[in-house]
Amino acid sequence: MTAHDIAQRYTQVLERIHQAARRAGRNPEDVHLLVVTKGQPLERIQAVVEAGARDLGENYPEEAVPKIQALAGLPLRWHMIGHLQRRKAPLVVRHFAMMHSVDRLRIALRLERLLAQEGRTLPVLLEFNVGGEAQKHGWPAWDPNLWPTWADEVAQILDLPHLQVQGVMTVPPWNPDPEAVRPYFRRLRELRDWLARRFPQASWHHLSMGMSHDFEVAIEEGATWVRIGTAILGPRPGP
Ligand SMILES: *Cc1c(COP(=O)(O)O)cnc(C)c1O
């Protein structure tokens, strides 16, 4: 992966995002690209930033912070997209612009306390498990009958003054066929619409869904944030 390859792939992905949005009758400006840099060396991240990327996503704060520090001074927004352990929460409060993966009440309460101490707010998305896989995080959402079971927890999170809930996020079951993933994207959108009716006081604008191999289908189903790593930066080098 040379810097030239990465710039070219970045431009191609942007073009595919625009085309998918237009096909779906949507405004391409409503779909934001998050470049997922987990497991990628600094040179590749610098290349994609030079190509124009401003929103970067990481799963592990302890892996992200050295990169964030190395690129300090550039106008970047770092997004936390992975399951967050309580003891790593201070790193998110200190270094990240947004968190897509608030997946339980306890972590929301922990973030709220730290944010209050720092005197800052954090835009967040709530993560839902739409596929029912045991290893995936988020509130159980594969069956609409389950939704009322955690509605009270969502209500508590909406009351936290330093968390700005802006929508929902999911990581659906992996399938090489993007069409097989479409029902999960649709389910998240239906869930978002349900939340918007139930909690009209909050903003539910954002749908964070779609990765390298299925982002066009996600856009057709309403994604406002697509999280793309390997399609732009190439395969993550092994440890
Ligand atoms: C790794 C990751 C991505 C990006 O995956 P690619 O297949 O490399 O595009 C997106 N979202 C989350 C939550 C991830 O962990």
Side-chain angles (χ1 to χ4, degrees), residues 36 38 59 81 169 171 211-212 227-231 236:
V36 177
K38 66 156 180 252
N59 295 56
I81 61 171
M169 176 268 208
V171 185
M211 306 177 16
S212 284
R227 309 179 307 263
I228 300 178
T230 51
R236 290 176 273 276

Side-chain angles (χ1 to χ4, degrees), residues 108-140:
L109 295 171
R110 177 87 183 122
L111 286 166
E112 169 62 26
R113 273 192 48 173
L114 294 163
L115 289 161
Q117 282 167 16
E118 292 279 318
R120 69 164 288 206
T121 56
L122 183 68
V124 300
L125 307 179
L126 306 184
E127 180 173 356
F128 292 92
N129 180 346
V130 293
E133 295 169 291
Q135 76 277 19
K136 292 280 166 71
H137 298 285
W139 285 274

Side-chain angles (χ1 to χ4, degrees), residues 65-142:
V65 167
K67 299 176 186 174
I68 295 171
Q69 286 169 340
L71 299 175
L74 296 170
L76 300 175
R77 292 174 292 268
W78 292 86
H79 299 242
M80 174 66 187
I81 61 171
H83 177 68
L84 179 62
Q85 296 170 280
R86 277 168 63 81
R87 63 196 163 84
K88 306 282 171 58
L91 296 176
V92 171
V93 167
R94 218 166 297 141
H95 296 284
F96 285 78
M98 179 164 175
M99 172 148 169
H100 293 228
S101 48
V102 170
D103 57 8
R104 60 207 192 280
L105 178 59
R106 264 169 72 83
I107 200 69
L109 295 171
R110 177 87 183 122
L111 286 166
E112 169 62 26
R113 273 192 48 173
L114 294 163
L115 289 161
Q117 282 167 16
E118 292 279 318
R120 69 164 288 206
T121 56
L122 183 68
V124 300
L125 307 179
L126 306 184
E127 180 173 356
F128 292 92
N129 180 346
V130 293
E133 295 169 291
Q135 76 277 19
K136 292 280 166 71
H137 298 285
W139 285 274
W142 51 90

